[in-house]
Structures are given as C-alpha cells and as structure tokens.
C-alpha cells in the first residue's frame, strides 16, 4: 500500500496529519479499475481510519500504479 500525506499541521507541542493510503488496482468484470484505499487521521490525541474504494480516475492512486 502506498501512502500520501495530504497535510500536516504541527507546532512544538502537538500535531495532526491526514494521509491517503492506496492499494494495488483491482479490475472488475466490467473492466473498470478500482483501488482499495484508506483515509487516515493521526494526531497526539486521536487516530482513525476510513476504508473506501477509489475509482481509476483518481490521479492520486493512478500516479503510483498507472
């Protein structure tokens, strides 16, 4: 899985970051390509993630797996 950090806010005491993680493409019966992906939020006080499917038209995942 490839990880892209979208942004990070930080100061000397705390920080928060949002990442997108993209897996290898999956081709459906209809020949459409999708990527498994996660949006991950990390900070000193909370961490969470949401799984999703990203279409092949998403340039972020396609840039890695073409």
């Amino acid at each position: 899985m490839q990880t892209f950090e979208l942004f990070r806010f930080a100061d000397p005491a705390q920080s928060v970051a949002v990442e997108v993680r993209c897996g290898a493409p999956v081709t459906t019966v209809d020949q459409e390509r999708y990527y498994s992906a996660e949006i991950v939020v990390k900070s000193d006080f909370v961490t969470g993630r949401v799984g999703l499917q990203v279409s092949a038209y998403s340039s972020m995942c396609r840039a890695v797996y073409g």
Side-chain angles (χ1 to χ4, degrees):
M1 210 172 249
Q2 181 70 31
T3 300
F4 300 93
E5 185 171 274
L6 294 180
F7 63 84
R8 174 180 298 273
F9 298 116
D11 64 23
Q14 59 188 1
S15 67
V16 64
V18 174
E19 301 173 344
V20 174
R21 296 179 180 171
C22 296
V26 174
T27 304
T28 67
V29 176
D30 301 348
Q31 297 301 311
E32 294 186 48
R33 291 175 64 184
Y34 292 90
Y35 300 85
S36 62
E38 294 179 329
I39 295 177
V40 180
V41 177
K42 295 180 182 178
S43 75
D44 298 334
F45 55 90
V46 69
T47 299
R49 70 184 68 226
V50 175
L52 61 139
Q53 296 291 317
V54 179
S55 127
Y57 298 108
S58 169
S59 60
M60 186 174 295
C61 292
R62 192 175 58 222
V64 174
Y65 294 104

